[in-house]
């Protein structure tokens, strides 16, 4: 079903295209040997190239190119064997060269696609228009001194990938799913850490509205939104604003806007500049970038299994539902953990324990899978005790909690607490007889046709045996005598 917003004149559709800036994971910057790592004392990661000294020559960092190509391959996109670097001229205090080196007419990566899945299970494909490489700018610091501003050039020249989507997104949920999927792919590839809080992934959000069946109308671009939740809010707020403009007989102007989450509104920043305002031209210091297909093939062979492929393999190999598989491949570390638990064991049971009890425990304790108090081997050891019927499912929960607290192995806990499942028919029969003797009235009722009392007897026998009886054997013993 199409997502719409109701205005005075009826339903409006939303059209969204996203431009994502993703900081490339690399040791050094795109055109200099200075460190690209985050943080550091201001202006300690700056070479003369980054500082825009006259006469300095940029030297392209091969690893950044490799990262861009890996990303293109991960987005199932066309890799352009020849691309070019242009100068995009504009003045910023924190851009000492007075231009940004970017790729304008010939990006390194062309059309691709990202598959997203919505909460109702709908699968959609969002087109990628292009991915190009460019430099990041420095950072102006206005809060260090009451009278002066400072500039930190540590970030100046760090490699960015700008990933531009087609205007294929039709609602906030799709925008959220697209960004999560993109971030997941980048993290799997190891080409960007996807950390939106630290600004290593940020989105420009292009929004327009239209009536069903119409061509696209004018869009506005909301700059630098730094969380997925804010992107989703901004779309809703901006679309609502545009609908009012159109319905009041006005025209939406193409402009750049800012989202203010505190006031839940967007505000005009500047009217949209056009490409000619930047006076793009090929950077005379850099040759066209030509890469060989053989290198692209080599990079492709080195790619990890991507999340969609992993999900499909989990469904096939482990026989788990697609939804569970999607949850388990959310992060590479979770997927690895799950596989270690599932290998050679009941894979469905493993999936239930990982997505249920383990995720619950991690949430409760504010931990991630990387610092899980229970290792995959330890959880697997516990599942082995369930499978070989040393403990039943209920006791397993108790053992799990103990493992969380003490870090002991499941086997040690079962020994220490004497939790071994009772499979001795004599003991079970004795408990059954005792429960029946103490509940003669209920036995009458059951035999008189009150079938649902069966559960009551099971519960009583289990209780009498401190939860340690084999449930299947208790059921059988009860059926025999009742
Ligand atoms: P520019 O070069 O001016 O930034 P692009 O053609 O590169 O323009 O488009 C930028 C982004 O705007 C892309 O993500 C694209 O999908 C999106 N976009 C283009 N037209 C529309 C529209 N009418 N409504 C919403 N988004 C749009
Ligand atoms: Mg653009």
């Amino acid at each position: 079903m199409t997502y719409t917003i109701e205005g005075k004149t009826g339903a409006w559709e939303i059209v969204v295209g996203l431009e994502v800036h993703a900081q490339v994971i690399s040791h050094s910057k795109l055109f200099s040997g200075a460190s690209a790592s985050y943080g550091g004392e201001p202006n300690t990661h700056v070479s003369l190239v980054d500082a825009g000294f006259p006469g300095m020559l940029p030297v392209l960092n091969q690893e950044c190119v490799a990262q861009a190509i890996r990303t293109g391959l991960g987005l199932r996109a066309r890799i352009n064997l020849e691309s070019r670097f242009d100068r995009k001229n504009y003045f910023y205090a924190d851009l000492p060269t007075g231009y940004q080196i970017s790729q304008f007419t010939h990006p390194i990566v062309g059309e691709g696609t990202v598959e997203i899945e919505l909460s109702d299970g709908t699968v959609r494909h969002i087109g990628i228009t292009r991915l190009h490489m460019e430099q990041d700018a420095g950072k102006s610091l206005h809060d260090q001194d009451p009278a002066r501003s400072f500039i930190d050039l540590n970030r100046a020249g760090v490699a960015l990938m700008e990933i531009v989507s087609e205007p294929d997104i039709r609602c906030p949920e799709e925008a959220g799913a697209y960004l999560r999927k993109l971030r997941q792919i980048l993290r799997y590839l190891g080409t960007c850490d996807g950390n939106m809080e630290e600004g290593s992934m940020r989105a420009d959000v292009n929004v327009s509205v239209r009536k069903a069946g119409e061509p696209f109308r004018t869009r506005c671009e909301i700059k630098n939104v730094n969380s997925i939740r804010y992107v989703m809010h901004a779309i809703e707020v901006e679309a609502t604003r545009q609908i009012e403009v159109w319905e009041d007989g006005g025209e939406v102007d193409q402009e750049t806007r800012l989202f203010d989450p505190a006031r839940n509104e967007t505000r005009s920043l500047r009217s949209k500049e056009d490409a000619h305002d930047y006076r793009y031209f090929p950077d005379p210091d850099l040759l066209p970038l030509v890469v060989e297909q053989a290198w692209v093939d080599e990079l492709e062979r080195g790619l990890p299994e991507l999340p969609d492929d992993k999900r499909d393999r989990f469904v096939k190999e482990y026989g788990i539902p697609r939804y569970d598989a999607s949850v388990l491949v959310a992060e590479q570390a979770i997927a690895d953990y799950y596989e270690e638990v599932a290998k050679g064991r009941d894979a469905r049971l493993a999936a239930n324990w990982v997505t249920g009890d383990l995720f619950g425990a991690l949430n409760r304790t504010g931990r991630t899978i990387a610092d899980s108090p229970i290792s995959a081997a330890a959880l697997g050891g516990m599942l082995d005790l369930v499978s070989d019927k040393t403990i039943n499912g209920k006791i397993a929960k108790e053992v799990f909690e103990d493992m969380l607290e003490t870090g002991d192995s499941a086997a040690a806990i079962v020994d220490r607490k004497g939790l071994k499942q009772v499979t001795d028919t004599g003991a079970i029969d004795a408990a059954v007889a005792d429960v029946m003797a103490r509940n003669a009235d209920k036995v009458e009722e059951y035999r008189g046709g009150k079938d649902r009392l069966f559960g009551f007897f099971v519960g009583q026998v289990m209780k009498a045996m401190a939860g340690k009886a084999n449930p299947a054997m208790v059921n059988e013993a009860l059926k025999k005598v009742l």
Side-chain angles (χ1 to χ4, degrees):
M1 217 188 72
T2 329
Y3 177 97
T4 54
I5 293 184
E6 208 57 38
K8 285 186 296 207
T9 59
W12 292 80
E13 276 178 28
I14 300 182
V15 177
V16 173
L18 296 174
E19 296 167 90
V20 171
H21 286 94
Q23 190 178 311
V24 172
I25 295 177
S26 65
H27 289 298
S28 52
K29 296 183 179 181
L30 184 53
F31 297 111
S32 87
S35 167
S37 66
Y38 180 77
E41 280 293 298
N43 297 310
T44 52
H45 302 167
V46 188
S47 76
L48 296 173
V49 174
D50 311 319
F53 273 52
M56 291 297 116
L57 289 175
V59 178
L60 182 59
N61 179 342
Q62 184 175 355
E63 178 55 16
C64 294
V65 178
Q67 292 288 57
I69 292 174
R70 287 185 188 106
T71 307
L73 293 169
L75 300 174
R76 322 246 185 248
R78 197 184 69 235
I79 306 301
N80 294 324
L81 298 181
E82 185 173 335
S83 62
R84 281 162 201 262
F85 288 99
D86 304 283
R87 288 187 182 178
K88 181 182 185 181
N89 298 279
Y90 58 106
F91 177 80
Y92 270 150
D94 45 29
L95 185 76
T97 47
Y99 58 82
Q100 176 193 36
I101 303 177
S102 180
Q103 297 189 303
F104 182 53
T105 50
H106 294 76
I108 186 155
V109 175
E111 298 84 1
T113 158
V114 168
E115 182 188 298
I116 60 169
E117 194 168 339
L118 305 177
S119 56
D120 67 358
T122 316
V123 172
R124 288 212 57 218
H125 293 90
I126 306 300
I128 298 291
T129 314
R130 57 188 278 163
L131 174 157
H132 64 256
M133 287 182 281
E134 61 186 32
Q135 303 170 293
D136 209 344
K139 205 161 74 182
S140 296
L141 308 169
H142 304 295
D143 55 358
Q144 310 283 307
D145 185 281
R148 293 176 299 172
S149 284
F150 294 97
I151 293 170
D152 175 9
L153 292 179
N154 281 355
R155 214 177 56 188
V158 166
L160 297 177
M161 299 180 283
E162 177 169 339
I163 303 166
V164 182
S165 88
E166 290 288 302
D168 288 345
I169 295 164
R170 291 287 174 275
C171 63
E173 190 198 351
E174 286 180 8
Y178 169 80
L179 288 171
R180 274 196 302 277
K181 189 56 168 287
L182 191 60
R183 183 172 63 184
Q184 184 189 32
I185 292 170
L186 295 172
R187 284 179 172 164
Y188 264 71
L189 293 167
T191 57
C192 169
D193 68 24
N195 189 333
M196 292 186 88
E197 295 75 51
E198 287 179 2
S200 50
M201 185 172 143
R202 32 193 208 265
D204 298 341
V205 188
N206 296 272
V207 181
S208 66
V209 296
R210 66 170 177 184
K211 291 291 178 79
E214 273 184 7
F216 292 152
R217 297 197 184 197
T218 309
R219 71 191 148 99
C220 286
E221 177 174 359
I222 308 160
K223 273 281 173 204
N224 270 333
V225 188
N226 63 1
S227 88
I228 292 177
R229 205 160 45 91
Y230 286 167
V231 168
M232 294 169 70
H233 280 174
I235 291 170
E236 182 118 37
V237 167
E238 174 59 16
T240 307
R241 182 192 72 83
Q242 290 181 15
I243 291 167
E244 275 168 24
V245 172
W246 291 120
E247 291 192 331
D248 290 346
E251 290 245 342
V252 169
D253 293 324
Q254 187 175 337
E255 59 183 359
T256 304
R257 300 179 70 87
L258 266 190
F259 176 58
D260 179 346
R263 298 163 75 167
N264 217 23
E265 63 179 27
T266 67
R267 282 197 298 277
S268 182
L269 193 64
R270 54 176 185 258
S271 64
K272 173 74 183 177
E273 53 288 86
D274 268 318
H276 60 252
D277 297 326
Y278 293 120
R279 207 171 55 88
Y280 279 100
F281 64 89
D283 192 310
D285 290 339
L286 290 159
L287 289 168
L289 169 58
V290 179
V291 299
E292 282 174 16
Q293 185 61 44
W295 187 44
V296 176
D297 294 342
E298 188 190 319
L299 291 170
E300 183 157 29
R301 282 192 297 274
L303 291 188
E305 181 180 33
L306 289 164
D308 289 349
D309 297 333
K310 206 184 267 295
R311 177 201 60 211
D312 294 345
R313 178 170 65 79
F314 278 15
V315 169
K316 234 175 95 193
E317 197 171 319
Y318 298 118
I320 57 175
R322 185 182 155 101
Y323 177 80
D324 289 10
S326 298
V327 172
L328 289 166
V329 303
E331 288 169 34
Q332 184 116 41
I334 295 173
D336 291 348
Y337 184 104
Y338 168 69
E339 287 209 90
E340 196 182 333
V341 180
K343 277 262 150 58
R345 300 199 173 91
D346 180 340
R348 277 168 171 269
L349 187 66
N352 289 341
W353 274 92
V354 173
T355 59
D357 299 79
L358 181 75
F359 280 7
L362 294 178
N363 266 341
R364 253 188 290 136
T365 54
R367 287 169 186 252
T368 63
I369 198 87
D371 52 12
S372 167
I374 300 181
S375 70
L379 183 58
M382 191 206 74
L383 294 187
D384 289 340
L385 298 184
V386 177
S387 298
D388 71 13
K389 302 202 161 54
T390 304
I391 56 174
N392 64 39
K394 194 143 176 224
I395 293 293
K397 304 263 176 195
E398 185 183 337
V399 172
F400 182 83
E401 289 304 319
D402 198 318
M403 289 169 80
L404 267 180
E405 250 167 59
T406 62
D408 289 349
S409 75
I413 294 163
V414 169
D415 272 349
R416 163 156 54 78
K417 291 188 155 172
L419 295 175
K420 204 167 163 343
Q421 179 164 247
V422 177
T423 49
D424 167 8
T425 41
I428 292 174
D429 287 344
V432 165
D434 184 49
V435 165
M436 286 179 60
R438 280 192 285 113
N439 297 282
D441 48 339
K442 296 253 171 35
V443 174
E444 273 315 299
E445 285 177 48
Y446 178 82
R447 287 180 174 149
K450 215 165 164 188
D451 286 351
R452 30 186 200 88
L453 274 174
F454 193 78
F456 164 81
F457 291 113
V458 174
Q460 289 298 307
V461 174
M462 287 305 271
K463 200 169 147 200
M465 303 191 66
K468 291 185 289 185
N470 177 315
M473 293 175 72
V474 171
N475 271 287
E476 214 164 286
L478 276 166
K479 270 189 205 134
K480 220 163 48 197
V481 288
L482 280 170

